[in-house]
Amino acid sequence: MPQLASLDDTALDALLGQSLLTTASASDERIAAVVSLAEAFAALDRAGVRTPLCPQELAYAVFFDNSTRTKSAWAGAAARLGMTPVIVDGSSTQVAHGETAEETGAMLGMNAHALGIRHDLILGEGNAFMGDVKRGIDDYLQATGDRRSVPIVNLQCDVDHPTQSLADLLHLRQRFPDGLAGKRITVSWAYSPSYAKPLSVPQGLISLMTRFGAHVTLAHPEGYTLLDEPVEQAHRFSSASGGSFRVVHDMDAAFADADVVYPKSWGPHALMLERVAANRAGDKAGMAAIEQRCLANNARHTDWICDERRMGLTADALYMHCLPADIGAEVSHGVLERFRVSLAQEANWKVYVIMALLAGAKVPSLAKRLRELESP
Ligand code: CP
């Protein structure tokens, strides 16, 4: 299998013990190693080769928000690696009663062998929570002389959704096997009447896709800015990679001649910040009132939809979405239906990304082990 022949043993060994909290914090070499490993796992899985590399280990995930794709990808990845997946609702844990992230990390780390976390709803909280959980695990393991490594995988926070953006990158590599350099990729806000969605998907996209020489456009109405840090990263990465990054406030202009469009909704920045204090105060009525104002704000931009007219402005673009999409709001029925199978293929990469993150962090001499599994 060419995907296994091209694995870099040294680069894979460097993944050992690594958690992934944002892609921006990972080197180009590490991103390349995870991508090549995910492609190898996909090739093995599709050829029916079993990969039980972590038997009798517990892959524990905590979700403080709903999920279909990421939960099932976590379970699917763990099962393919011979681990036992367990997924719990964060609101059913003692975090809901005020137990700290460090304490939670120590408790989960002593019992589990890998930890996934989704904590994406409140700005300033999710990524910080993951960092504190990691400190709790690491401190406990070090203090007790426990030599296990318990990596954390960010399954979406307020800053980034790395298993999603890496899955998206893998999908793009299939579509553009010669690379992303020079490709025009548009990440656009789109109208949603359903709820004020996190900022982490567009932030994750602009801070990853700018690393490969693409011309990345971020489009949104006034007032829908992203956090400063990922926007600064996008500028920095695009300069270093020979690509470009721009922000526009016109969806048609953003779609013009695009090779890839990724239109999805997120919440208005000022109101997302207002939620922070209301959430800390446990003000449920305040949170509900802010949500209604978010949706009223969104409703001023119902024309931000990805439909056939807008797709006609592109260079026959690939339509992408992390899903679930608001059909008839973010995207027309026709466009979604045209790309239905492609969207499922995009989503399918997540199971292999999670396998790569878990096995890369836990299995020594991984490239050699995979070659042995391919040719026993
Ligand atoms: N794209 C994504 O993360 O989907 P879920 O919310 O269903 O996990």
Side-chain angles (χ1 to χ4, degrees), residues 64-106:
F64 292 91
D65 192 9
N66 298 339
S67 167
T68 294
R69 276 146 291 275
T70 313
K71 275 183 180 171
S72 57
W74 177 266
R80 283 167 172 79
L81 292 172
M83 306 176 86
T84 301
V86 169
I87 298 173
V88 300
D89 176 351
S91 65
S92 72
T93 69
Q94 301 293 15
V95 174
H97 289 169
E99 186 160 40
T100 68
E102 285 93 341
E103 283 177 284
T104 306

Side-chain angles (χ1 to χ4, degrees), residues 277-314:
N279 183 63
R280 285 222 177 107
D283 179 1
K284 288 198 171 140
M287 289 289 282
I290 294 168
E291 180 69 13
Q292 287 313 309
R293 288 166 58 210
C294 286
L295 296 184
N297 217 82
N298 285 4
R300 293 166 51 212
H301 307 291
T302 53
D303 55 328
W304 284 64
I305 181 170
C306 176
D307 57 12
E308 291 294 3
R309 183 193 71 77
R310 280 212 166 92
M311 289 301 283
L313 302 174
T314 71

Side-chain angles (χ1 to χ4, degrees), residues 66-71 118 156 161 164 322-324 350:
N66 298 339
S67 167
T68 294
R69 276 146 291 275
T70 313
K71 275 183 180 171
R118 172 169 288 191
Q156 191 173 6
H161 191 355
Q164 182 64 50
C322 56
L323 302 178
K350 197 177 286 183

Side-chain angles (χ1 to χ4, degrees), residues 215-300:
H215 299 299
V216 177
T217 296
L218 173 68
H220 58 75
E222 300 284 355
Y224 284 81
T225 49
L226 301 178
L227 293 178
D228 289 342
E229 196 176 358
V231 173
E232 284 159 14
Q233 286 158 350
H235 281 294
R236 206 168 57 246
F237 285 140
S238 63
S239 295
S241 71
S244 64
F245 175 68
R246 65 174 180 152
V247 182
V248 302
H249 302 297
D250 179 328
M251 197 173 185
D252 280 357
F255 269 50
D257 297 324
D259 297 301
V260 178
V261 292
Y262 202 126
K264 87 163 297 294
S265 197
W266 61 88
H269 192 107
L271 291 170
M272 298 301 267
L273 286 176
E274 266 191 48
R275 290 179 2 159
V276 175
N279 183 63
R280 285 222 177 107
D283 179 1
K284 288 198 171 140
M287 289 289 282
I290 294 168
E291 180 69 13
Q292 287 313 309
R293 288 166 58 210
C294 286
L295 296 184
N297 217 82
N298 285 4
R300 293 166 51 212

